[in-house]
Amino acid sequence: VGVVRSLAAVVVAVAWVAPAVATTAMVAAATTTWAAAATGIVGLRQPPPLLLLPLPPLPRPAAQTVVVIVAAVVVIVVAAVAAVLVIVIVVMAVVAVAAAAAAALAVAAAAAGARALKHTLVIEDDVRTRFFIENFGFDAGGQLNLRVTNFRVDGADWDDAKADGRVGFVIKRSEVYSSAFLEENAQVPCLLDSDKAIDLDRDYVVDVEGGNRPTRREIRVNAGQEGFYNTYFVSCLPEGHTVSFRLDLTQYNEAADGTKNYLSAGRAPLPLLYGVLSATYAGVLVVWLAFFIRGHAASTNRVHHLMSLLVLLKLVALAVKTVDYHFQAHDGNAGNWGLVYYVFAGAKGLLMFVLIALIGTGWKFVKPFLSEKDKRVFMVVIPLQLLDNLALIVIEETAPGSQGFITWKDIFRLVDILCCGAILIPIIWSIKHLREASQIDGKAARNLDKLKLFRQFYLMVVTYIYFTRIIIYLLDATLPYHFVWLGDFFTELATLTFFCITGFMFRPLSDNPYFSLPDDDGGASGGGGGGG
């Protein structure tokens, strides 16, 4: 709430202060020109007018010194005022970012910072005999460096000579994301010994060394060996044993000039992609504010201002994501930029869900209130969405090989889908009520228009949810390693399209069909959000 309020304050401050800054700049420019003409620096007989008002005539040469002094004082004062106004905006922006960073650091305390491509995984007393750790897309010239230290079994140092079975890591190559490798070979007693599950011409097996010695393996990817390299931990010990170790895994691709890129081959275009998207949303925001909000101020309401805030949050989230991917690519670790991104992205996601539900109920468009049914939906959706966003932040900041990682990620993705379904309920209520109301004589045509609009909005929301939550998930699992970035591209393209269509459908225009609904249509208006 603090972050959203701070960002809203920044928007309001910019809207109020920007004209003042522009005016002071014009005053400073005109005063400077007038002083220059007075002293003969610029050959003008009469200075240019300011805001269509003529300035005083140029003084006589005897008074030029006084004019220069007065002009200098005016310029300094005007510049100081402009600087103060700009500083106010900057301070408010810093406060908003600081609030976001504080929230991010609070989450960081509970998360293991393992988003880096210089991957560190610490396992303590884990009973699992096999689990997925990480995957990475390599081009020719890429390198994988694996190092295992402090390996213990049942709390004691590992002695491979006296062990009841092998323990190690499998690095398996595939063309697509291959996290189903363990499930497909669940019946194999020991994957490390299986020639059917592991092809030693393509895959690698790294046995853990005993005697408290670190285990190291470096793999250089040559031409013809490109693809996804999936790292798994495998223990062939009898069930019931616990293992503990620290794994340091560094993966990168190397350009011809020796520059290292720590992003997977399929994610290398993402910094540019998100940079272009952030610029696109900046253009969308300018068009929305200039041509719709400011151009039709009399028809705007709170929902339109929330739409402006939503686009701003999306813009900031994409800009932070660009910086995040930039540092990941160059350093292998983006620090807390990822956490800051999740704060803004979480705020954006929550606000988007609220806006969809508000538009679906007709609030501020058809009726000025929310029914009890609407309020109950919000009381369920908003806490679930907050919990879902918080959990996804923690999960994304946790190493994939950690205990319960896959399970929790699937659970909270399911919660996200349930939230998507819940926000459709008010729209369904409105469609049902309008279908019944369209049969009333005298109001049939009007209610049919409403029904058509609600159906269009419902179909658009369902399509967006289905595409971004299901189709993209299936697409990510089947894309070749070099085209993984297409999943992000199609997701963001769908979101941009959804934003633009929704904004156009419910734009603040006097001839918008949503605003042309009469206020005396109490039955339909009251039921537009859930049966009134």
Side-chain angles (χ1 to χ4, degrees), residues 308-363:
S308 304
L309 179 58
L310 176 61
V311 177
L312 177 63
L313 286 174
K314 182 66 176 178
L315 165 63
V316 174
L318 290 173
V320 173
K321 191 67 172 177
T322 302
V323 178
D324 176 53
Y325 272 123
H326 171 78
F327 282 110
Q328 285 191 48
H330 287 271
D331 302 329
N333 192 336
N336 286 325
W337 278 107
L339 294 170
V340 177
Y341 164 75
Y342 290 126
V343 170
F344 284 106
K348 181 271 302 179
L350 177 61
L351 181 57
M352 186 175 72
F353 274 83
V354 170
L355 267 175
I356 292 173
L358 288 175
I359 294 174
T361 61
W363 182 70

Side-chain angles (χ1 to χ4, degrees), residues 214-247:
T215 301
R216 293 186 176 90
R217 183 64 183 268
E218 296 183 359
I219 299 174
R220 186 77 175 181
V221 179
N222 300 316
Q225 298 178 332
E226 303 89 343
F228 267 124
Y229 281 66
N230 306 275
T231 304
Y232 303 90
F233 170 78
V234 177
S235 171
C236 297
L237 298 175
E239 293 186 3
H241 292 284
T242 62
V243 296
S244 303
F245 61 87
R246 174 190 171 95
L247 170 68

Side-chain angles (χ1 to χ4, degrees), residues 365 446 449-450 453 509-519:
F365 292 112
R446 194 183 313 153
D449 289 339
K450 298 179 187 178
L453 186 62
L509 296 176
S510 57
D511 59 346
N512 192 311
Y514 219 95
F515 305 116
S516 62
L517 306 179
D519 294 334

Side-chain angles (χ1 to χ4, degrees), residues 169-219:
F169 296 85
V170 174
I171 302 173
K172 188 169 182 63
R173 180 155 56 100
S174 63
E175 292 299 322
V176 296
Y177 186 80
S178 184
S179 60
F181 166 69
L182 298 180
E183 290 78 4
E184 294 171 353
N185 297 278
Q187 303 302 320
V188 177
C190 181
L191 287 174
L192 299 177
D193 297 328
S194 175
D195 296 334
K196 183 180 295 186
I198 299 176
D199 183 359
L200 294 180
D201 293 332
R202 293 171 47 90
D203 309 326
Y204 300 87
V205 175
V206 181
D207 287 290
V208 177
E209 298 183 9
N212 202 23
R213 298 188 305 273
T215 301
R216 293 186 176 90
R217 183 64 183 268
E218 296 183 359
I219 299 174

Side-chain angles (χ1 to χ4, degrees), residues 46-332:
Q46 180 68 23
L50 173 64
L51 298 179
L52 303 181
L53 296 176
L55 291 173
L58 297 178
R60 298 175 180 176
Q64 288 182 357
T65 303
V66 177
V67 169
V68 171
I69 295 175
V70 172
V73 171
V74 172
V75 171
I76 292 173
V77 171
V78 171
V81 172
V84 169
L85 294 175
V86 172
I87 290 173
V88 169
I89 297 177
V90 173
V91 169
M92 297 184 72
V94 170
V95 169
V97 174
L105 292 177
V107 175
R115 296 180 66 258
L117 284 309
K118 296 177 180 177
H119 187 97
T120 298
L121 174 64
V122 178
I123 296 295
E124 294 288 345
D125 299 326
D126 197 331
V127 297
R128 293 176 295 171
T129 58
R130 54 183 73 177
F131 55 84
F132 170 74
I133 295 177
E134 186 62 274
N135 71 343
F136 194 86
F138 284 101
D139 284 327
Q143 185 157 328
L144 182 151
N145 299 326
L146 180 147
R147 184 173 185 268
V148 182
T149 56
N150 300 327
F151 195 91
R152 301 187 306 276
V153 176
D154 297 329
D157 291 339
W158 169 245
D159 188 348
D160 55 340
K162 300 180 180 179
D164 298 331
R166 297 173 65 186
V167 177
F169 296 85
V170 174
I171 302 173
K172 188 169 182 63
R173 180 155 56 100
S174 63
E175 292 299 322
V176 296
Y177 186 80
S178 184
S179 60
F181 166 69
L182 298 180
E183 290 78 4
E184 294 171 353
N185 297 278
Q187 303 302 320
V188 177
C190 181
L191 287 174
L192 299 177
D193 297 328
S194 175
D195 296 334
K196 183 180 295 186
I198 299 176
D199 183 359
L200 294 180
D201 293 332
R202 293 171 47 90
D203 309 326
Y204 300 87
V205 175
V206 181
D207 287 290
V208 177
E209 298 183 9
N212 202 23
R213 298 188 305 273
T215 301
R216 293 186 176 90
R217 183 64 183 268
E218 296 183 359
I219 299 174
R220 186 77 175 181
V221 179
N222 300 316
Q225 298 178 332
E226 303 89 343
F228 267 124
Y229 281 66
N230 306 275
T231 304
Y232 303 90
F233 170 78
V234 177
S235 171
C236 297
L237 298 175
E239 293 186 3
H241 292 284
T242 62
V243 296
S244 303
F245 61 87
R246 174 190 171 95
L247 170 68
D248 294 296
L249 186 63
T250 302
Q251 305 170 103
Y252 58 86
N253 287 298
E254 190 170 325
D257 59 357
T259 303
K260 296 179 180 179
N261 189 331
Y262 290 91
L263 285 178
S264 179
R267 296 189 176 275
L270 289 182
L272 176 61
L273 172 63
Y274 280 102
V276 172
L277 285 170
S278 61
T280 302
Y281 274 95
V284 170
L285 182 59
V286 170
V287 172
W288 172 257
L289 292 176
F291 292 95
F292 293 104
I293 298 299
R294 188 170 182 175
H296 303 274
S299 302
T300 58
N301 56 46
R302 295 179 184 177
V303 173
H304 294 125
H305 295 305
L306 288 176
M307 289 180 176
S308 304
L309 179 58
L310 176 61
V311 177
L312 177 63
L313 286 174
K314 182 66 176 178
L315 165 63
V316 174
L318 290 173
V320 173
K321 191 67 172 177
T322 302
V323 178
D324 176 53
Y325 272 123
H326 171 78
F327 282 110
Q328 285 191 48
H330 287 271
D331 302 329

